[in-house]
Amino acid sequence: SAAGTLKSPLPGIVVAINVNVGDVVKKGQQVAILEAMKMENVLQAPVDGTVQSISVNPGDSVLEGVAILAIG
């Protein structure tokens, strides 16, 4: 569902993905780190659920609004 899709809040480079497909996460849990403008931004799970898919890899450059991972 769209509610469980974590999208990039700004353009940047994916530094780390802290979860794997199948992991159970809680809303607010750190799931990824995005570097933008020389600052690391912690990305948090938007909903409780299970990680369904991960759309990017560490080192990937992403634009604002790009799906990082899906939680269902």
Side-chain angles (χ1 to χ4, degrees), residues 16-35:
I17 300 292
N18 304 106
V19 293
N20 296 302
V21 172
D23 287 358
V24 175
V25 296
K26 294 283 185 194
K27 182 176 180 176
Q29 178 179 331
Q30 176 178 324
V31 293
I33 299 175
L34 183 72
E35 181 181 302

Side-chain angles (χ1 to χ4, degrees), residues 42-71:
V42 173
L43 303 183
Q44 300 174 333
V47 294
D48 290 353
T50 303
V51 178
Q52 302 293 322
S53 64
I54 298 173
S55 307
V56 297
N57 294 302
D60 286 358
S61 193
V62 295
L63 297 173
E64 182 175 351
V66 169
I68 303 286
L69 52 83
I71 299 168

